[in-house]
Amino acid sequence: MANVTVIGAQWGDEGKGKIVDWLASRADVVVRFQGGHNAGHTLVVGEKVYKLSLLPSGIVRGTLSVIGNGVVLDPWHFREEVAKLQGQGVDVNTTNLHIAENVPLILPFHRDLDGLREDASGAGKIGTTRRGIGPAYEDKVGRRAIRLCDLAHLDDLGPQLDRICAHHDALRAGFGEPPIDRDALIKELAEVADFILPYAKPVWVTLNQAKKRGDRILFEGAQGVLLDVDHGTYPFVTSSNTIAGTASGGSGLGPSSVGFVLGIVKAYTTRVGAGPFPTELEDDTGQRLGERGHEFGTVTGRKRRCGWFDAVLVRQSAAVSGITGIALTKLDVLDGFETLKICVGYTVDGKSYDYLPPHPQDQAKAVPVYEEMDGWQETTAGARSWADLPAQAIKYIRRIEELIECPVTLVSTSPEREDTILVRDPFQD
């Protein structure tokens, strides 16, 4: 049996929650390997709806769940999310949830800085969630982060605090803010340490043991490839690498363990926040897509921008992330459209492109080149086999496969876990 890595192949919000939940029910271990609590997954299990933003999706079904070292973790949010799930009847304990001992922490001054910089950026705003994720990653690569293991050694934190304050106090002064209150920070950390430290484990050991046993490991990505700090629409991106390769470095398993890479793709395109979006529809059609798809962010509640399917971007995502197969979601949202459009290229100042150019100004000026297809009037909602789909819907899926140069592995036709058409089982070798 193969391992599976699930990533978003657009700008996030592709419906990963349902797919990950469906796969998690068959996995032995589920691993979050990057991002923070700025990305959300909505799971619908029977009559219950679970909204996760940090914990791996496997926790809802009692599957061993791991938060890897590639994540940045807000310990206070972690405590709140655990309490919320426990209030919904989910058993979260130190046996079924492990957190990497070396995971960097998101601290109160990270949230402060995130908001202060965004407010001062004027036209340069990038649409951060203001949760401190970016500044926490900056401290990680700046070698001044406080990590989970440090909470067991608070009396020895002085040198690290010196490094942190040398950096942050100067920034805070520039914004007219007082320096970090070191004593208050230590007190806050001590208050949360007893709750979170029991979850701290050498997860690289946990995962390597699972690998030796032949366990099925599911790697769960956050956001989407187009928000990758290297490969996305920079600077309107997140602060981590969202591509499948990060599953290795962000968990402590070698690159051979990534397995089948499943890219989650909506049958149309959405984006939350600022940044280029060549196929965005600011008209009745875009409004219709948003209303039918219930397009609001799981974490932020922000309305998502909507547009036609962009095959150029998904082909690019599939290439840079080594996607093995696509899970196409929300096909039912397109039911009833007379005509559908697929972006097959761009023009920028009269020049043709078959990829998205890297410069933000070129991206902002990119005009989509569309291919039109007839829509379908029948419903696809709840379809569980190809025979349940209208012929024109199947043509749409097949054309997408051709354009993105990647096969469709499964099709999702509603939020319900069983409303899925399986073409190829990602867990099979």
Side-chain angles (χ1 to χ4, degrees), residues 317-391:
S317 293
V320 301
S321 209
I323 292 174
T324 315
I326 290 294
L328 191 68
T329 67
K330 292 198 168 186
L331 181 68
D332 53 302
V333 173
L334 299 182
D335 292 353
F337 280 87
E338 291 287 341
T339 303
L340 301 173
K341 294 183 180 181
I342 302 175
C343 176
V344 296
Y346 311 115
T347 58
V348 178
D349 293 330
K351 181 179 178 181
S352 296
Y353 284 85
D354 61 358
Y355 65 95
L356 189 66
H359 197 278
Q361 289 188 4
D362 290 336
Q363 293 175 352
K365 291 188 291 186
V367 177
V369 177
Y370 284 120
E371 179 178 294
E372 291 194 8
M373 295 184 67
D374 290 336
W376 55 89
Q377 300 308 304
E378 306 94 323
T379 181
T380 63
R384 299 184 180 183
S385 71
W386 287 113
D388 296 333
L389 292 179

Side-chain angles (χ1 to χ4, degrees), residues 76-147:
W76 298 277
H77 174 86
F78 170 77
R79 184 170 59 184
E80 292 172 4
E81 191 166 322
V82 168
K84 181 180 178 182
L85 281 181
Q86 289 175 335
Q88 290 185 277
V90 177
D91 184 17
V92 182
N93 58 64
T94 57
T95 300
N96 64 16
L97 178 61
H98 295 184
I99 306 175
E101 298 171 312
N102 53 339
V103 71
L105 301 181
I106 301 172
L107 302 173
F109 54 81
H110 292 133
R111 297 192 297 269
D112 293 344
L113 182 59
D114 207 354
L116 289 167
R117 289 200 297 209
E118 186 76 351
D119 289 339
S121 293
K125 283 184 171 63
I126 59 173
T128 171
T129 58
R130 300 169 180 261
R131 296 190 170 211
I133 281 83
Y137 272 118
E138 291 175 42
D139 279 356
K140 174 184 176 178
V141 298
R143 295 169 293 182
R144 54 183 172 264
I146 293 176
R147 302 179 300 167

Side-chain angles (χ1 to χ4, degrees), residues 61-78:
R61 298 189 177 275
T63 306
L64 174 59
S65 298
V66 171
I67 296 176
N69 57 276
V71 172
V72 286
L73 186 144
D74 182 323
W76 298 277
H77 174 86
F78 170 77

Side-chain angles (χ1 to χ4, degrees), residues 8 10-12 32-39 70 72 106 114 126-135 137-138 221-243 246 271-272 274 302:
Q10 293 159 312
W11 278 292
R32 267 289 304 271
F33 59 85
Q34 51 76 220
H37 62 302
N38 56 338
V72 286
I106 301 172
D114 207 354
I126 59 173
T128 171
T129 58
R130 300 169 180 261
R131 296 190 170 211
I133 281 83
Y137 272 118
E138 291 175 42
Q223 292 102 11
V225 173
L226 299 176
L227 292 175
D228 185 280
V229 69
D230 287 307
H231 300 286
T233 49
Y234 191 92
F236 303 98
V237 292
T238 195
S239 300
S240 60
N241 287 110
T242 61
I243 57 172
T246 311
R271 177 168 199 167
V272 170
R302 290 184 292 182

Side-chain angles (χ1 to χ4, degrees), residues 249-268:
S251 67
L253 275 177
S256 63
S257 299
V258 171
F260 189 106
V261 180
L262 182 65
I264 315 299
V265 178
K266 272 180 186 162
Y268 50 103

Side-chain angles (χ1 to χ4, degrees), residues 14 20 25 55 109 113 160 180 208 233 251 254 278 315 408 419:
E14 301 95 349
V20 169
S25 67
L55 299 183
F109 54 81
L113 182 59
Q160 284 164 276
I180 293 170
N208 275 277
T233 49
S251 67
R315 182 171 65 240
V408 170
D419 291 343

